[in-house]
Amino acid sequence: MSKNNKPTTGQSTIALNKKAKFDFFLGDRIEAGLVLEGWEVKALRAGKAQIADAHVIIKDGEAWLLGAVITPLLQASSHVRPDPTRTRKLLLHEQELARLIGQVERKGFTIVPTAMYFKRGRAKLEIALGEGKKAHDKRATMKDRDWQRDKQRIVRHSM
């Protein structure tokens, strides 16, 4: 028998945006492809990505990822001048793009990247429609999170 008996799903997480859940009420989630350069793919495989401060904009009928940082590897980017924060195009179907445009322009939603991962060898970005939280909503979220943690602690100690 082989050493690794774990079934592989072909999906591995590169980066998560934990701040998005705290700052926004997240709605519909959509998976989008990314247009990347070779050095960026190598850096993603090494886990050198951050999407905490990233956001998505719609410009000229196309979706663009701004603010995502992909730190270049020294070995992989020696022959090019890498730009870690360049604007990257998102690949979406026309229906998905039209729906996103409608939600953003008419209802005032924001498109927030929530996760970046590999799926069957391709880099994917999960984006969600988000509505900004007010300060009192954020306080309620912290209060609920603290209560859940205390509840788990009580249950664990009572056994």
Side-chain angles (χ1 to χ4, degrees):
M1 291 208 122
S2 65
K3 289 182 181 180
N4 295 338
N5 291 334
K6 295 185 285 185
T8 57
T9 60
Q11 190 166 333
S12 60
T13 303
I14 301 166
L16 292 173
N17 187 356
K18 295 179 182 178
K19 215 166 84 168
K21 205 172 193 180
F22 181 74
D23 290 338
F24 296 95
F25 292 113
L26 298 178
D28 295 340
R29 295 174 187 262
I30 298 173
E31 180 179 84
L34 286 161
V35 177
L36 299 172
E37 296 178 358
W39 67 268
E40 292 173 322
V41 176
K42 290 181 179 184
L44 289 180
R45 294 209 183 276
K48 303 282 185 179
Q50 297 173 358
I51 59 171
D53 295 326
H55 61 282
V56 176
I57 63 166
I58 306 286
K59 183 178 179 185
D60 298 330
E62 295 178 334
W64 298 88
L65 177 66
L66 281 90
V69 178
I70 299 177
T71 307
L73 297 174
L74 294 175
Q75 311 89 303
S77 59
S78 59
H79 60 286
V80 293
R81 292 201 180 267
D83 181 13
T85 59
R86 77 176 184 90
T87 303
R88 295 166 180 92
K89 184 177 179 181
L90 297 180
L91 304 172
L92 293 163
H93 290 285
E94 278 188 46
Q95 299 88 357
E96 293 173 334
L97 196 54
R99 197 179 62 165
L100 285 176
I101 290 170
Q103 295 284 340
V104 169
E105 289 180 355
R106 288 187 204 96
K107 296 187 179 176
F109 284 99
T110 304
I111 305 172
V112 183
T114 56
M116 188 182 288
Y117 53 90
F118 280 109
K119 184 176 181 182
R120 289 184 271 164
R122 307 261 193 251
K124 302 290 183 178
L125 182 73
E126 182 185 67
I127 58 177
L129 283 169
E131 190 174 5
K133 286 186 180 179
K134 306 278 191 244
H136 61 86
D137 294 327
K138 291 180 183 180
R139 284 194 297 272
T141 302
M142 287 191 304
K143 187 176 177 181
D144 290 341
R145 185 177 56 214
D146 290 343
W147 167 240
Q148 291 298 327
R149 186 172 43 238
D150 290 343
K151 191 166 61 170
Q152 288 293 342
R153 191 176 299 134
I154 292 168
V155 169
R156 202 173 334 125
H157 289 308
S158 67
M159 291 183 158

